[in-house]
Amino acid sequence: MTVVPLLSVQHLTMRFGGLVAIDDLSFDAADREITAIIGPNGAGKTTVFNCLTGFYQPTVGRLTLTHGGGTFLLERLEGHRIAKEARVARTFQNIRLFPRMTALENLVVAQHNRLMRASGYTVLGLLGHPGYRRAEREAVELARHWLERTGLADRADRDAGSLPYGAQRRLEIARAMCTRPALLCLDEPAAGLNPRESAELNDLLLAVREEERIGILLIEHDMSVVMGISDHIVVLDYGKRIADGSPRTVRNDPTVIRAYLGEEDDEELPPEVLVDLRGVPPGC
Amino acid sequence: MEYLLQQIINGLTLGAIYGLIAIGYTMVYGIIGMINFAHGDVFMIGAFISIITFALLWMGGVTSIPLAIVLVLFTTMLFTAVYGWTVERIAYRPLRGSFRLAPLISAIGMSIFLQNYVQLLQGARIKPLPPLISGGIVLMEGDGFAVQINYTQMIIIAVTVALMTAFTLLITRTPLGRAQRACEQDRGMAALLGVDVDRTISLTFVMGAALAAVAGLMFALYYGVVDFFIGFLAGLKAFTAAVLGGIGSLPGAMLGGILIGLIEALWSGYFSVEYKDVAAFAVLVLVLVFRPTGLLGRPEIEKV
């Protein structure tokens, strides 16, 4: 009997009018592994995330998430239930924090549903019920824990919008972790980070995988991050899967090299030839 | 001096009522960026429900006036909240994600509908409420003029202060308030964190309507008459208050309400009663020209 994967994407297709953004994509992502989705710009990586988190309704396909809490068909869940019940958390390429809330408050909002229950749907909270106070203390503790893990402990009370770029990126990951996810989807977490910050990010993600025992789905262009920490890589080009495997196999896959990593192996080729190579349909 | 003090007391009372209504405008604007033009009529419904509940209580043999007022307060808040919820559910939610003007037009339609609905059911004539609370405290006496704060005014100000305190706590300290502020800044992101956005918006309407209901009860107690059209002018004044304070800002709504109440009372006291509405709306014009974001509002950054 095979192990049921944490996330199973089957025959996912997303069309916008005549444009096929994702074309019959299938892949699995295992629990406690880092699965990277890579591919040239416009390959449909972020669209996969948008389908997973309920922003888009897939044209065709099944997205199954299985963990201790049960089995969920993500394409059928409403947006907020994907976070609440299926426990999928996500960050964005263009950071989406609540800019006019403090860093700490951003992390407490992420624990909304637990606090809502503890506050007796607001009434007990308003009356200062001890059960709610305890829940809120725990929420703040978890928030502080993640602020510390992301090196933001001393900026807890600053407005999220006023933090420097790198700090905002880390805060977004901290906020996603505060929802206690089973699957964490990170959309280009290393974008705009300097080499030192990006090395710290690698350590953070590896630690999260080990300690929290969750699956991570990663979109990334920075190959040092992808090759350094991924357990499994899915390569997309024009919405199709062109390779799927360990970093070693993907790196040596000729299709991938042609479509994506071409530059590294063909450094002597003039740029216009590289452009042409990118246009070659996969599998040629 | 005595005369001025008296006008300030009157103005604060009026301002409390406007402030309670203005909160409903400012919260809805904050969370979904639309002006709920039917909000004034929800206030009018609140005034009617309170008069009907008073009548029912008398028929049921409740003679204690403090008890009656407390019962009416809660009944009115409850039933008006249901109206607020229903209006959002049938007139605004189906239009969410449509173009920006659609819910606004729907709101104007809802306002006309509610006015006619009450006119049909209750008649067009004014409904009187006999004065329930008489007497007051004389604060100061001099030159044959006594500065008086009557008990109705004291109740209005006390209830308003209590509600606004509870309300501020709700917004700043409870998960619901945090969810509302989160939805205000980024609804899509709030949903990704597990916040039920539709429900949060519904509850915002419920809270606004409940506060407007209290304002309706206070209005009925203070003026003693209501008709189906009171929501129009009161709603417009409260909207002015919300804009003056900075729409989207809660302390702004309260401050704006009090300022509009004071301007109106002082203008009627020193210049002319006939032009009190002109004074209030002239303030709106001046604010929009010189400080479009209001006193406590922040400049809106257009989202891309």
Side-chain angles (χ1 to χ4, degrees):
Chain A
M1 193 188 131
T2 51
V3 184
V4 181
L6 174 66
L7 172 74
S8 172
V9 173
Q10 287 159 325
H11 305 293
L12 176 66
T13 300
M14 183 77 217
R15 287 194 203 99
F16 299 100
L19 176 80
V20 184
I22 306 176
D23 190 3
D24 196 24
L25 171 69
S26 301
F27 70 92
D28 288 344
D31 200 5
R32 299 178 209 176
E33 276 193 7
I34 297 179
T35 305
I37 303 178
I38 64 170
N41 284 327
K45 306 180 296 289
T46 300
T47 309
V48 174
F49 272 24
N50 283 340
C51 290
L52 285 174
T53 49
F55 272 44
Y56 295 155
Q57 180 71 44
T59 317
V60 182
R62 169 160 290 186
L63 309 165
T64 322
L65 189 80
T66 312
H67 56 71
T71 299
F72 303 89
L73 298 178
L74 298 181
E75 78 278 8
R76 296 195 190 167
L77 282 182
E78 278 174 88
H80 71 273
R81 293 179 59 203
I82 289 178
K84 184 178 169 182
E85 290 158 31
R87 302 196 356 245
V88 178
R90 159 176 195 187
T91 68
F92 287 84
Q93 197 176 339
N94 48 338
I95 304 166
R96 281 175 79 169
L97 291 162
F98 301 117
R100 292 183 302 280
M101 285 188 182
T102 64
L104 186 72
E105 258 186 318
N106 264 280
L107 304 193
V108 176
V109 172
Q111 303 172 59
H112 172 77
N113 282 305
R114 287 157 50 80
L115 286 172
M116 200 70 177
R117 268 195 303 281
S119 75
Y121 299 90
T122 305
V123 182
L124 296 177
L126 210 50
L127 300 175
H129 184 265
Y132 170 63
R133 289 202 183 155
R134 187 166 1 97
E136 190 154 74
R137 247 196 328 273
E138 283 168 10
V140 171
E141 259 167 45
L142 182 68
R144 292 220 179 266
H145 166 76
W146 280 107
L147 285 174
E148 230 147 82
R149 290 300 302 275
T150 48
L152 296 166
D154 52 334
R155 304 184 194 168
D157 296 321
R158 282 192 42 191
D159 273 358
S162 72
L163 293 174
Y165 187 80
Q168 292 198 10
R169 281 234 171 273
R170 296 201 301 278
L171 183 61
E172 222 192 2
I173 296 174
R175 181 177 64 181
M177 287 312 298
C178 279
T179 65
R180 298 167 194 251
L183 175 68
L184 175 64
C185 303
L186 302 171
D187 196 344
E188 295 202 28
L193 299 188
N194 62 37
R196 190 176 54 87
E197 286 175 321
S198 131
E200 283 170 5
L201 177 75
N202 281 1
D203 295 340
L204 175 69
L205 294 184
L206 287 172
V208 164
R209 184 191 61 178
E210 289 311 311
E211 291 160 25
E212 306 296 320
R213 305 171 155 268
I214 64 172
I216 298 179
L217 207 54
L218 176 73
I219 293 178
E220 190 50 72
H221 279 301
D222 184 333
M223 281 305 135
S224 70
V225 175
V226 172
M227 294 299 167
I229 65 173
S230 306
D231 301 295
H232 170 198
I233 297 178
V234 178
V235 190
L236 296 190
D237 195 18
Y238 295 103
K240 285 196 175 71
R241 188 186 72 179
I242 57 170
D244 185 345
S246 68
R248 180 190 296 271
T249 39
V250 165
R251 200 186 321 209
N252 298 325
D253 187 317
T255 328
V256 176
I257 294 169
R258 254 203 306 279
Y260 189 76
L261 298 174
E263 296 90 336
E264 283 181 18
D265 290 40
D266 306 311
E267 261 165 8
E268 68 283 3
L269 287 176
E272 56 271 27
V273 179
L274 286 174
V275 172
D276 288 343
L277 277 176
R278 283 196 179 180
V280 172
C284 287
Chain B
M1 179 60 207
E2 287 82 8
Y3 188 63
L4 175 68
L5 193 60
Q6 183 66 61
Q7 293 309 328
I8 289 178
I9 290 172
N10 296 347
L12 284 177
T13 315
L14 202 55
I17 296 178
Y18 290 149
L20 284 174
I21 312 176
I23 288 178
Y25 279 107
T26 220
M27 283 210 316
V28 165
Y29 182 83
I31 202 159
I32 54 175
M34 105 181 222
I35 307 291
N36 177 13
F37 278 116
H39 190 60
D41 300 289
V42 170
F43 152 81
M44 176 269 295
I45 298 250
F48 266 91
I49 292 178
S50 63
I51 286 193
I52 293 168
T53 318
F54 271 125
L56 288 175
L57 285 177
W58 281 317
M59 284 197 281
V62 178
T63 47
S64 154
I65 286 179
L67 176 68
I69 290 181
V70 171
L71 286 177
V72 168
L73 179 70
F74 286 112
T75 320
T76 310
M77 282 173 86
L78 179 71
F79 281 97
T80 314
V82 173
Y83 273 93
W85 182 84
T86 314
V87 166
E88 192 272 337
R89 192 70 190 78
I90 63 177
Y92 307 148
R93 191 185 293 184
L95 296 173
R96 203 164 296 151
S98 168
F99 65 107
R100 235 179 126 91
L101 230 47
L104 208 67
I105 296 165
S106 181
I108 294 170
M110 207 62 208
S111 161
I112 297 170
F113 169 78
L114 286 176
Q115 281 174 21
N116 285 279
Y117 159 80
V118 172
Q119 189 186 0
L120 271 177
L121 286 181
Q122 298 292 323
R125 253 184 275 175
I126 57 165
K127 294 266 177 289
L129 181 71
L132 296 174
I133 311 150
S134 52
I137 302 171
V138 176
L139 293 176
M140 222 201 281
E141 224 163 339
D143 300 345
F145 185 85
V147 180
Q148 199 194 32
I149 173 161
N150 65 41
Y151 291 130
T152 313
Q153 289 177 319
M154 285 167 66
I155 291 176
I156 292 175
I157 292 172
V159 169
T160 305
V161 169
L163 275 176
M164 288 190 175
T165 313
F167 194 72
T168 310
L169 285 178
L170 195 154
I171 295 294
T172 51
R173 299 269 173 86
T174 70
L176 174 61
R178 261 193 299 265
Q180 283 177 316
R181 283 180 289 141
C183 288
E184 209 178 307
Q185 298 185 24
D186 189 339
R187 265 189 271 161
M189 191 62 232
L192 277 183
L193 296 174
V195 175
D196 187 337
V197 174
D198 277 339
R199 185 191 287 168
T200 307
I201 293 174
S202 281
L203 286 174
T204 306
F205 274 83
V206 162
M207 280 153 62
L211 292 180
V214 178
L217 166 63
M218 301 301 173
F219 184 94
L221 285 176
Y222 195 51
Y223 290 104
V225 286
V226 300
D227 65 49
F228 72 95
F229 205 58
I230 56 168
F232 178 72
L233 201 57
L236 217 51
K237 293 263 180 65
F239 172 61
T240 306
V243 173
L244 173 63
I247 196 145
S249 149
L250 283 178
M254 302 176 196
L255 179 69
I258 289 167
L259 287 178
I260 292 287
L262 284 174
I263 289 165
E264 217 181 294
L266 292 174
W267 187 276
S268 345
Y270 286 99
F271 301 103
S272 73
V273 182
E274 291 81 9
Y275 284 97
K276 68 183 165 83
D277 297 339
V278 175
F281 295 129
V283 170
L284 177 64
V285 172
L286 291 177
V287 169
L288 288 177
V289 170
F290 293 106
R291 202 178 155 80
T293 53
L295 297 172
L296 303 181
R298 56 187 152 64
E300 183 164 352
I301 300 151
E302 202 55 45
K303 277 185 207 152
V304 183

Coordinates of all heavy atoms in Angstrom, one line a residue, chain B residues 35-65:
Chain B
I35 N -21.1 53.8 0.8 CA -21.9 54.6 1.7 C -23.3 54.0 1.8 O -24.0 53.8 0.8 CB -22.1 56.1 1.2 CG1 -20.8 56.7 0.9 CG2 -22.9 56.9 2.1 CD1 -19.9 57.0 2.1
N36 N -23.7 53.5 3.0 CA -25.0 52.8 3.1 C -26.1 53.9 3.3 O -26.4 54.2 4.4 CB -24.9 51.9 4.3 CG -26.2 51.2 4.6 OD1 -27.1 51.2 3.8 ND2 -26.3 50.6 5.8
F37 N -26.6 54.3 2.2 CA -27.6 55.4 2.2 C -28.9 55.0 2.9 O -29.7 55.8 3.3 CB -27.9 55.9 0.8 CG -26.9 56.9 0.4 CD1 -26.1 56.7 -0.7 CD2 -26.8 58.1 1.1 CE1 -25.1 57.6 -1.1 CE2 -25.8 59.0 0.7 CZ -25.0 58.8 -0.4
A38 N -29.1 53.7 3.1 CA -30.3 53.2 3.8 C -30.1 53.3 5.3 O -31.1 53.0 6.1 CB -30.7 51.8 3.4
H39 N -28.9 53.7 5.8 CA -28.7 53.6 7.2 C -29.6 54.6 8.0 O -30.1 54.3 9.1 CB -27.2 53.9 7.5 CG -26.8 53.7 8.9 ND1 -26.9 52.5 9.5 CD2 -26.3 54.5 9.9 CE1 -26.5 52.6 10.8 NE2 -26.1 53.8 11.0
G40 N -29.8 55.8 7.5 CA -30.7 56.7 8.1 C -32.1 56.1 8.3 O -32.8 56.4 9.3
D41 N -32.5 55.3 7.3 CA -33.9 54.7 7.4 C -33.9 53.6 8.4 O -34.9 53.3 9.0 CB -34.3 54.3 6.0 CG -34.4 55.5 5.1 OD1 -35.3 56.4 5.3 OD2 -33.5 55.7 4.3
V42 N -32.7 52.9 8.6 CA -32.7 51.9 9.6 C -32.8 52.6 11.0 O -33.5 52.1 11.9 CB -31.3 51.2 9.5 CG1 -31.1 50.3 10.7 CG2 -31.3 50.3 8.3
F43 N -32.3 53.8 11.1 CA -32.5 54.6 12.4 C -34.0 54.9 12.6 O -34.5 54.7 13.7 CB -31.6 55.9 12.2 CG -32.2 57.0 13.0 CD1 -31.9 57.2 14.4 CD2 -32.9 58.0 12.3 CE1 -32.4 58.3 15.1 CE2 -33.4 59.1 13.0 CZ -33.1 59.3 14.4
M44 N -34.6 55.3 11.5 CA -36.1 55.6 11.5 C -36.8 54.3 12.0 O -37.7 54.4 12.8 CB -36.5 56.1 10.2 CG -38.0 56.4 10.0 SD -38.9 55.0 9.4 CE -38.2 54.7 7.7
I45 N -36.5 53.2 11.4 CA -37.1 51.9 11.8 C -36.9 51.7 13.3 O -37.9 51.3 14.0 CB -36.5 50.7 11.0 CG1 -36.8 50.9 9.5 CG2 -37.0 49.4 11.5 CD1 -37.7 50.0 8.9
G46 N -35.7 52.0 13.8 CA -35.5 51.8 15.2 C -36.4 52.7 16.0 O -36.9 52.2 17.1
A47 N -36.6 53.9 15.6 CA -37.5 54.8 16.3 C -38.9 54.2 16.4 O -39.6 54.3 17.4 CB -37.5 56.2 15.7
F48 N -39.3 53.7 15.2 CA -40.7 53.2 15.2 C -40.8 51.9 16.1 O -41.8 51.8 16.8 CB -41.1 52.8 13.7 CG -41.8 53.9 13.1 CD1 -41.1 54.9 12.4 CD2 -43.2 54.0 13.2 CE1 -41.8 56.0 11.8 CE2 -43.9 55.1 12.6 CZ -43.2 56.0 11.9
I49 N -39.8 51.0 16.0 CA -39.9 49.8 16.8 C -39.9 50.2 18.3 O -40.7 49.6 19.0 CB -38.7 48.9 16.5 CG1 -38.8 48.3 15.1 CG2 -38.6 47.7 17.5 CD1 -37.7 47.5 14.6
S50 N -39.2 51.2 18.6 CA -39.2 51.6 20.1 C -40.6 52.1 20.5 O -41.1 51.7 21.5 CB -38.1 52.6 20.4 OG -38.3 53.8 19.7
I51 N -41.2 52.9 19.6 CA -42.6 53.4 20.0 C -43.6 52.2 20.1 O -44.4 52.1 21.0 CB -43.0 54.4 19.0 CG1 -42.2 55.7 19.3 CG2 -44.5 54.7 19.0 CD1 -42.8 56.9 18.6
I52 N -43.5 51.3 19.1 CA -44.4 50.2 19.1 C -44.2 49.3 20.3 O -45.1 48.9 21.0 CB -44.2 49.3 17.8 CG1 -44.6 50.1 16.6 CG2 -44.9 48.0 17.9 CD1 -44.2 49.5 15.3
T53 N -42.9 49.1 20.7 CA -42.6 48.3 21.9 C -43.1 49.0 23.2 O -43.7 48.3 24.0 CB -41.1 48.1 22.0 OG1 -40.6 47.8 20.7 CG2 -40.8 46.9 22.9
F54 N -43.0 50.3 23.2 CA -43.5 51.0 24.4 C -45.0 50.8 24.5 O -45.6 50.4 25.5 CB -43.3 52.5 24.3 CG -42.0 53.0 24.9 CD1 -41.1 53.7 24.1 CD2 -41.7 52.7 26.2 CE1 -39.9 54.2 24.6 CE2 -40.5 53.2 26.7 CZ -39.6 53.9 26.0
A55 N -45.7 50.9 23.3 CA -47.2 50.7 23.3 C -47.5 49.3 23.8 O -48.4 49.1 24.6 CB -47.7 51.0 21.9
L56 N -46.8 48.3 23.3 CA -47.1 46.9 23.6 C -46.8 46.7 25.1 O -47.6 46.0 25.8 CB -46.2 45.9 22.8 CG -46.5 45.8 21.4 CD1 -45.5 44.9 20.7 CD2 -47.9 45.2 21.2
L57 N -45.8 47.3 25.7 CA -45.5 47.1 27.1 C -46.6 47.7 27.9 O -47.0 47.1 28.9 CB -44.1 47.8 27.4 CG -42.9 47.0 27.0 CD1 -41.6 47.8 27.3 CD2 -42.8 45.6 27.6
W58 N -47.1 48.9 27.5 CA -48.2 49.5 28.3 C -49.4 48.6 28.3 O -50.1 48.4 29.3 CB -48.5 50.9 27.8 CG -47.5 51.9 28.3 CD1 -47.0 52.0 29.6 CD2 -46.9 52.9 27.5 NE1 -46.1 53.0 29.6 CE2 -46.0 53.6 28.4 CE3 -47.0 53.3 26.2 CZ2 -45.3 54.7 28.0 CZ3 -46.2 54.4 25.8 CH2 -45.4 55.0 26.7
M59 N -49.7 48.1 27.1 CA -50.8 47.2 27.0 C -50.6 45.9 27.8 O -51.6 45.4 28.4 CB -51.1 46.8 25.5 CG -51.7 47.9 24.7 SD -52.4 47.3 23.2 CE -51.0 47.2 22.2
G60 N -49.4 45.5 27.9 CA -49.1 44.3 28.7 C -49.0 44.6 30.2 O -48.8 43.7 31.0
G61 N -49.2 45.9 30.5 CA -49.3 46.2 32.0 C -48.0 46.6 32.6 O -47.8 46.5 33.8
V62 N -46.9 46.9 31.8 CA -45.6 47.3 32.5 C -45.7 48.8 32.8 O -45.9 49.6 31.9 CB -44.5 47.0 31.5 CG1 -43.2 47.5 32.1 CG2 -44.4 45.6 31.2
T63 N -45.7 49.1 34.0 CA -45.9 50.5 34.4 C -44.6 51.2 34.8 O -44.5 52.4 34.8 CB -46.9 50.7 35.5 OG1 -46.6 49.7 36.6 CG2 -48.4 50.4 35.1
S64 N -43.6 50.4 35.2 CA -42.4 51.0 35.7 C -41.6 51.6 34.5 O -41.3 50.8 33.5 CB -41.5 49.9 36.4 OG -40.2 50.3 36.3
I65 N -41.4 52.9 34.5 CA -40.8 53.5 33.3 C -39.3 53.1 33.1 O -38.9 52.7 32.0 CB -41.0 55.0 33.4 CG1 -42.4 55.3 33.1 CG2 -40.0 55.8 32.4 CD1 -42.8 56.8 33.1

